[in-house]
Structure formats: structure tokens, C-alpha cells
Amino acid sequence: MSSLLVTIAGVILVTIFGIIAGLFLMGVDRICAARMQMRQGPPLIQPFIDIRKLLCKDSQVPANAIPALFNAAPIVAFASAVTVLFYLPLGSILPVGTPLPMVGEYGDLILIMYLLTVPALAMVAGGFASGSPYASVGAQREMVTMIAYEFPLAIAIIAIAWRLAVAGLVMPFSVNTLAANPIWTVVGPIGIIGCILLLIVLAWVTPAELSRIPCDTPEAETELCGGLLVEYSGRNLALFSLSMAAKLVAMAGLAVVLFLPWNISPIIGISGIGAAGVDLAFFLLKVIVVMFFSVTLVRVVMARFRINTVVSLYWGWLTTIGLIGMFLIILDGSMSLGGCLS
Amino acid sequence: MSQKKAPYELPIGPIHPALKEPINFTFKMNGEVVEEVDFAPGRAHRGIEWMGMRRNPVQILHLCDRICGICGVAHALVFAQAVEQIAGVEVPDRAYYVRTIIAEFERIQSHLLWAGVAAHELGFDTLFYLAWQIREESVDVIEYITGNRVNYAIMMIGGTRRDITPDMFPRIEQALQYYEGLFEKMVNLFLNDKTIAMRCRNTGILTKRRALELATVGPTARASGLAMDVRTDSPYAAYGDLDFDIILPEVYSNETVGDVYDRIVVRIFEVKQSIDIIRQCLRQMPDGPVLAEEKYPKLLMNLKKASGEAFARVEAPRGEDMHFVRMNGKQEAPEMWKVKASTYSNQMAWIEILQGEQIADIPVIIASIDPCMSCTDRVAVVNQKGEADVLTKEYLHRLSVEKTRRMQG
């Protein structure tokens, strides 16, 4: 009974944290982009104001849409985007496993990868259900983009987990293992080069996953007037915006877990609730840094890609870089294995 | 959403983020590729010619300012030239120079505005903000010279309403230096950028031959390698006294492709050309008045007596702009006034250059000819139910035959 209560309380708290952190990140992103474009930019709370306004508005359902699917898509997208956060360590708060099993015993990187695709799939379903040519084209593009970026993302995650397994750690896909054993401390010099390449791949997957310039082809304001989202308004659009915000935290959080999992509380010597708070703040700081480099900076300095460029970039360049990175890590792992055996 | 094989229709417009003015495109698409293009202009028709034919020429000048928000000088200048030709007004030399300077500043602001729009269509908003911020300087100078930022109201029949005095030169020179300092940066940002080159090279190609056959004008024609510019082909204002060349894509790249990239090249380098032209004007400007007839009642009296017809053309930033005026010597208002802007000549190129391109390139290709629908739309065909209609060639031919028969009969 008490574990159920903990779970419910944890889910509610993490959801609220996800929404607030996501909208805050979007505000930071908008201000940073604006300053780089010699603009003032909106106030930090502008995304909150936007969401509040959207929630007050009616949701229009187009005449030739499929209402059930059209209305369900935003809910599914939002729910799955928030669910990813339940499985990510937020600072030193580890949601899975010990000490307080918030969402049960299980849940690892593979689950996170699957959950990350769900919001995109929901958007595709909603786009096709809108019955608008713009949304249909946008949905097609979103599917193509998904197929393009999933492979490099999987390479990055699997390579790191494999290396941890070689180092003799049990449950290498578990986020707790990743959080406790930063990959940089496990690998040797060759592995570090490999990890840097994988970091580059992950940084490039982020804009595609989040549909930001240069990979915002599914939405493409000047081409498709918002593409997938063209027919969405009011509460449905607010839910999609919130799911995008939560996904922003999730993607940046994933990069933090994989590559920057350190916490600050052991260094400054705080423990208990204080440590959790300090680590959460430090986690947010890391997330902002990751977002700045992989989302804000990229979208400021680039034009939008064509959809065929997106595919050739992710399948050609990034897969190659990812495979080289993986190869280096395998080499590193084999060498350390050899070292142990001899 | 059926299979990829079945072509589907993608409407763009009348209102769409890619379009700055209302026009309706219908694309027949195959997946992401454009198979057929159709467009229906006529949605920015405001009956300006009708209004003009009920007003005196000086009033029409101010109406000309409002045909288009960007090329106000071009329309007013070309109308003034046509009326001056009919009435035989002798324009003072200094006025020609003032007209040239303001026309060139207009070209700078128009091209920079276009560059920003093109960047925005590509999804490159940083460059869009930069281009429009740079453009502010030219608008500021135009305001300094004419008193207005958009509808300049500086043209007058027989000259200009304001002079550019030597004490204004430093401010103008400051603006010219500002643009000279930024020119290298602009070239670097627009022409050396990887993503822009990737999106614009070999996109929307208009070959030299097709450019000629479709009678394109202005930067669109020059980007395809046609050396035509009204400023050198039939000089007006002070252009005859000045030394400048027609800008072709060869100024930057070795070959002329006639794609969107070449259109960017031509427009960016025309900004530099305009700086040179303004500087030459400032150096050579003769002394004297800027207006042939200062007293408006007397001017209007003379214009009312004038009869005849004239046809004038200027090089607006977007290309050749022509006005036809006929006056009968009995009424103040012209008997006939016809405006033909550059987009009217260029728009048929759309059908050619959009075919076979991707959806992603539609916005920038549409923008690449720098369309101005409010300049172009001089007619809207409506049937008796109030719906938009199309007059076919056969129908117009039949009307023509019927009229000939009536006149013979």
C-alpha cells in the first residue's frame, strides 16, 4: 500500500518536474537563440504563458479528421514523453530500483529508447488523422526522420552498454549502472576517442529527435505551415507542446546519463535531501549545457535540411561516425580483456 | 494518405507562411516531388488604375507610392517620366541625380529585404534577422532624405519634392561606408555558407534560353545570364552619365547556372553596385533647382492641356517596371493608365522552375524571383455569382472577333 502511494506521489512529482523543467528549458533556449540573433527574446516564462493560453482555448477538430485518433495522439505523446523521465536518474534521485522503488524494479536504456519513439509515433498518427495534406506530408517526413536517426542512436547506446559489460558490470543497460560508472572512467585512451565520436552522434540525434532546425522538416513552418501540428489547436496543441518540453528534458537527460553522469554532492559533502536538491540543480545545469550545444547553437547557425539530406546525413555520415566510435570502443574493450587475461 | 504513386494536390496559398502576399498555388505532387504547377494571381487587386483614371497626375504620383510597399520610388518615377514626356516638361539635371540616389537606396533596401526573406524561407532565421537589421540603415537614410520610411512621396512631375543638399552628404556617405564594410561579411554569410549552397545550388534552374523565351526581366533574367538592365539599355534619370556594368552571376562564380544561388549572387552584388552608383551621383551632382515648376496650380494647368500618350520604363529592384499613360488634353485625369510591374513578366517562370523540385524548395523558389503581387495584380476576374473565374484564350479571341464585326458592321 505504501509503495503504491510512493509510486503515485513520485509519478506526480516527476511529471510536474518534467513540465516545469521542460518549459524552463524552452524559455532558456529561446532567450539564448534570440541573443545570438541580436534580438531581445521573450521573457523566460513565455512558454508557461503560451501553455496557459493554449489550455484556455478550444480544440478544433477538422471536418475530415478521425476524431478519436486525432484527440488521442496528444495524450499518448504527452504520457510517453513524461514516462521517459520516470526511468532517468534526475541528479542523484534514481527512480528505478533502490532505495525507494518508484516505478518498480525494471526499466533500462532499451525501454527509454522505445519510449522516446512513442511521442513521435503519436505525432505521426495524429498527423495522418488530421486529414490535411500538409499534416500528411509532415507525418511521412517524421517517419522517415525517425527511421534515419534511430540507428545512430542505437549504436551509441549499445556501444556504451557493451563496454560496461566488458568491464565486468552486471546489468550494463541499467541507468543506475551508467550513473554509478561514468563511461570515461571505464575506457582507455582509444575508448575515449570512441566515446567522443559517440557523443557527437548523440548531439546530432538530439535536434532530429526534437524536430528542431536543421531537422524540423516534419514541421517546416515555411513549407508545411507546421506540418504535423497544422490542424492542432487549443488543449491538444498544449499537450503536444508539453510533450515536446518533456522530450527536451528526456533527450538532454539521456545525454547527461550516458556521458556526464557525475553528481556534485559527494564533492561538496552534503547528504540527504540537501544532496538530492543540489544534484537536481546540477543536473539541470548539465541539461542546459547539453541543450545549448546540441539544440540552440545548431538551430541558430543552420538552415533547414531537405528530407533526403536528413536521411543521407543520418544514415551516411552519422552512422559511419557511430560505427567508427563503436569499433574503437570494441577495440578498447578487447584490449582491456586481453590485458586481464594475460 | 494513399500510396506514394497516386499524385495528390497540395495547395499553397492564398495565405501561407511561405508567401508574403496572397496568391494561390496548386501543386500536383508525387511524394515529395512537384509534378505540375498551377497558380492563380489576382488576389491583391485593389483597382488602383481605376482610381488613378479619376485623379490628376500629381495625385496619381502619390497613389503610385502605394502600389507596392517596397518599390514606391520605381512606380512614382516611371509614372512621372511618362507624364513629363507627354507634357514636355523639362526636368532639371539635379533632380535626375536626386531621383537616381533615392532609387538606388530603394534597390539596396529591397534586395536586403529579399535576402532576409530568402533566408527565412530556407529556415535560416539567424540570417533573416541579420539581413533585416542591416536593411534598417538604408531605410533610415531614405527617411533622412525623404522624410518617410515606406511611402517616400519624393517624386514630383518635373523633378523631386526635396533636394539632397551637401550638408546631407556625410550621413549618406556614412551609410555607404556601413554597407561597404559589411559587404564582405554578407558575401561570406550568404554565398559561402554550406547549408545555403546545398539548398540553393541547382535548385529552380531557369536556363538562359527559357529566360529569354519567357521574357523574364531584372535580377531573375540576369541570374540566367541575360545581360539586360533598363538602366544601361535605355538610360533614364542620371544613369546615362554614370559608369556601371550589368551584374551577371559571373561576378562571383565562373559559370552561370540560372539557379536560386545565382539569383542570390546577382542581388547581393547589385547592393554593391548601388553603393558605387550613389557615390558617383554624389560626386557628379550639378547645381540648380530640383523642380521644373514650383507652383502646383500652374503645373496642373499645363498637365490638363497636355495630350498624347507615352510609355516609360525603369529598372525597379525586381526588374523592369513599365507605365503607359494617355492624356487627351480635355480632362485632368489621364484617359488611360496602365501599370505593368516586373513580377508580371517573371511569374510565368514559376511554372518552369518549380517543376520536378521538392516541397522543401517550393518556398525559396517562389521567393527567388522576388514576387510582388500588389505590383502585379491589376485585374481580378469574377463571374456573376461573385466567384473567381478564368478567361480563356478562346473566350477572349471570340470577344475580339465580335468587337471587330461590330465595328465593321
Side-chain angles (χ1 to χ4, degrees):
Chain A
M1 188 62 206
S2 71
S3 74
L4 185 69
L5 278 178
V6 167
T7 305
I8 292 172
V11 162
I12 291 172
L13 281 177
V14 170
T15 308
I16 292 170
F17 168 77
I19 291 172
I20 292 176
L23 293 178
F24 167 74
L25 279 182
M26 283 185 148
V28 173
D29 168 57
R30 285 171 73 168
I31 288 182
C32 290
R35 293 293 153 85
M36 282 188 276
Q37 290 170 338
M38 296 173 293
R39 290 185 292 129
Q40 185 66 35
L44 192 58
I45 56 160
Q46 188 63 45
F48 294 89
I49 299 170
D50 292 347
I51 292 290
R52 197 183 68 188
K53 181 147 195 180
L54 283 175
L55 287 173
C56 298
K57 299 235 171 196
D58 282 346
S59 275
Q60 295 290 329
V61 180
N64 51 352
I66 306 164
L69 197 53
F70 184 82
N71 288 321
I75 298 168
V76 174
F78 175 65
S80 54
V82 170
T83 311
V84 181
L85 295 178
F86 301 155
Y87 294 99
L88 280 178
L90 308 169
S92 55
I93 307 167
L94 300 173
V96 184
T98 52
L100 272 177
M102 195 184 84
V103 285
E105 302 273 326
Y106 305 104
D108 55 17
L109 279 176
I110 307 281
L111 178 66
I112 290 175
M113 265 185 66
Y114 275 104
L115 282 174
L116 274 174
T117 61
V118 179
L121 283 174
M123 281 176 84
V124 168
F128 280 135
S130 314
S132 148
Y134 295 130
S136 294
V137 174
Q140 285 178 19
R141 287 180 172 187
E142 177 71 45
M143 285 197 298
V144 173
T145 313
M146 255 168 69
I147 295 167
Y149 69 69
E150 285 298 337
F151 191 40
L153 178 64
I155 291 177
I157 288 177
I158 288 169
I160 289 168
W162 183 85
R163 185 64 190 83
L164 290 179
V166 167
L169 296 161
V170 285
M171 291 175 72
F173 280 105
S174 152
V175 284
N176 294 357
T177 316
L178 281 165
N181 304 284
I183 184 76
W184 308 99
T185 59
V186 174
V187 294
I190 303 174
I192 285 181
I193 300 170
C195 282
I196 290 172
L197 292 179
L198 293 180
L199 185 63
I200 292 169
V201 170
L202 193 68
W204 267 98
V205 168
T206 310
E209 181 90 56
L210 299 170
S211 292
R212 295 302 192 88
I213 288 174
C215 301
D216 69 333
T217 33
E219 285 164 35
E221 184 225 332
T222 47
E223 298 159 25
L224 301 176
C225 329
L228 291 167
L229 302 175
V230 68
E231 296 291 348
Y232 278 100
S233 55
R235 285 184 300 278
N236 283 340
L237 186 59
L239 278 178
F240 267 134
S241 305
L242 287 176
S243 74
M244 294 297 268
K247 215 174 156 186
L248 182 58
V249 183
M251 269 315 281
L254 182 65
V256 167
V257 169
L258 286 175
F259 293 104
L260 309 161
W262 295 282
N263 281 322
I264 201 168
S265 61
I267 300 167
I268 52 174
I270 314 173
S271 58
I273 295 290
V278 168
D279 285 337
L280 196 61
F282 187 56
F283 171 78
L284 267 182
L285 185 71
K286 287 187 285 187
V287 163
I288 289 175
V289 170
V290 168
M291 182 199 69
F292 178 80
F293 283 105
S294 64
V295 175
T296 316
L297 199 61
V298 175
R299 86 181 170 101
V300 164
V301 298
M302 295 198 79
R304 186 184 303 120
F305 288 141
R306 290 180 191 135
I307 188 70
N308 54 351
T309 319
V310 172
V311 175
S312 56
L313 177 77
Y314 282 85
W315 274 16
W317 287 102
L318 287 173
T319 305
T320 313
I321 294 173
L323 286 175
I324 294 172
M326 187 161 84
F327 175 74
L328 289 174
I329 284 182
I330 290 172
L331 200 67
D332 182 70
S334 316
M335 277 163 65
S336 76
L337 265 187
C340 291
L341 289 175
S342 60
Chain B
M1 188 44 239
S2 49
Q3 310 91 34
K4 274 217 151 188
K5 286 277 153 57
Y8 63 98
E9 271 192 4
L10 184 77
I12 289 196
I15 304 297
H16 187 280
L19 305 170
K20 304 305 160 220
E21 282 175 288
I23 177 171
N24 195 2
F25 283 90
T26 312
F27 294 96
K28 200 162 273 170
M29 306 293 305
N30 186 353
E32 287 262 339
V33 178
V34 177
E35 279 198 337
E36 269 175 53
V37 190
D38 191 16
F39 68 94
R43 286 165 197 273
H45 174 59
R46 293 153 296 164
I48 284 198
E49 287 168 342
W50 186 88
M51 287 196 277
M53 284 185 267
R54 277 144 192 85
R55 280 164 170 77
N56 72 42
V58 175
Q59 288 172 318
I60 297 179
L61 265 184
H62 296 290
L63 205 54
C64 283
D65 267 349
R66 284 151 183 82
I67 289 179
C68 166
I70 307 299
C71 33
V73 167
H75 284 292
L77 174 58
V78 67
F79 179 77
Q81 282 179 5
V83 173
E84 282 154 10
Q85 208 177 317
I86 295 170
V89 179
E90 197 68 28
V91 180
D93 281 349
R94 191 178 177 84
Y96 281 142
Y97 279 85
V98 174
R99 285 176 172 186
T100 308
I101 291 171
I102 193 72
E104 290 306 319
F105 268 119
E106 181 184 67
R107 195 177 314 280
I108 293 176
Q109 66 93 351
S110 174
H111 282 348
L112 289 176
L113 180 126
W114 176 85
V117 169
H120 177 64
E121 306 285 22
L122 290 170
F124 204 156
D125 280 355
T126 309
L127 209 45
F128 157 65
Y129 290 119
L130 180 74
W132 279 32
Q133 197 191 37
I134 292 173
R135 173 180 177 256
E136 278 302 292
E137 178 74 7
S138 59
V139 184
D140 285 347
V141 171
I142 289 171
E143 186 185 9
Y144 179 70
I145 297 172
T146 68
N148 295 305
R149 288 169 70 83
V150 181
N151 298 318
Y152 315 123
I154 193 173
M155 290 300 157
M156 178 47 70
I157 291 167
T160 54
R161 291 177 62 222
R162 290 184 187 213
D163 192 6
I164 298 177
T165 51
D167 60 296
M168 295 164 89
F169 285 10
R171 176 70 187 84
I172 297 173
E173 181 59 35
Q174 184 197 328
L176 297 181
Q177 276 170 8
Y178 173 78
Y179 282 117
E180 272 172 341
L182 281 169
F183 182 72
E184 286 302 315
K185 196 178 170 189
M186 293 288 289
V187 168
N188 202 19
L189 287 173
F190 274 96
L191 303 177
N192 294 346
D193 187 272
K194 281 265 165 21
T195 35
I196 290 192
M198 198 165 73
R199 291 287 307 271
C200 298
R201 256 290 172 229
N202 298 315
T203 302
I205 296 178
L206 184 67
T207 58
K208 187 172 181 179
R209 188 187 159 78
R210 288 300 287 160
L212 197 60
E213 282 169 357
L214 289 164
T216 56
V217 293
T220 312
R222 289 195 282 277
S224 293
L226 289 178
M228 52 190 281
D229 188 328
V230 182
R231 292 176 293 174
T232 51
D233 298 345
S234 75
Y236 56 94
Y239 289 110
D241 302 346
L242 305 172
D243 176 30
F244 61 98
D245 292 323
I246 295 173
I247 301 279
L248 292 173
E250 276 111 25
V251 293
Y252 184 72
S253 47
N254 295 324
E255 44 163 5
T256 302
V257 189
D259 52 6
V260 175
Y261 190 82
D262 278 350
R263 283 169 216 141
I264 301 178
V265 171
V266 167
R267 290 201 174 89
I268 295 281
F269 278 83
E270 280 189 8
V271 171
K272 190 179 184 216
Q273 182 188 44
S274 293
I275 299 169
D276 292 341
I277 291 176
I278 295 168
R279 194 156 278 152
Q280 287 183 37
C281 285
L282 293 180
R283 228 176 8 243
Q284 299 179 11
M285 229 155 124
D287 289 332
V290 289
L291 199 52
E293 180 52 70
E294 299 246 337
K295 299 188 186 81
Y296 284 3
K298 194 176 171 194
L299 175 69
L300 287 175
M301 205 50 210
N302 291 340
L303 291 177
K304 194 177 173 184
K305 280 185 229 149
S307 74
E309 55 182 27
F311 169 77
R313 54 186 193 145
V314 303
E315 182 78 11
R318 296 174 160 111
E320 183 190 57
D321 180 17
M322 296 195 233
H323 281 212
F324 172 77
V325 183
R326 190 197 297 144
M327 298 174 80
N328 59 12
K330 287 177 221 139
Q331 61 191 47
E332 273 196 323
E335 195 179 40
M336 179 69 203
W337 176 36
K338 182 76 202 146
V339 177
K340 198 233 75 174
S342 39
T343 309
Y344 186 82
S345 307
N346 284 339
Q347 59 185 357
M348 289 316 283
W350 272 331
I351 306 244
E352 176 95 6
I353 61 182
L354 282 166
Q355 223 134 44
E357 299 290 346
Q358 292 192 11
I359 297 179
D361 298 324
I362 290 174
V364 75
I365 294 176
I366 290 177
S368 74
I369 70 162
D370 201 357
C372 174
M373 297 332 292
S374 50
C375 284
T376 309
D377 285 347
R378 295 279 74 87
V379 65
V381 181
V382 180
N383 65 15
Q384 285 175 331
K385 286 183 207 152
E387 295 159 346
D389 208 350
V390 176
L391 299 184
T392 58
K393 189 183 163 193
E394 290 73 32
Y395 176 73
L396 292 171
H397 183 251
R398 204 173 68 232
L399 283 186
S400 162
V401 170
E402 278 168 14
K403 184 168 183 185
T404 314
R405 296 236 171 87
R406 263 204 317 278
M407 287 167 81
Q408 283 172 340

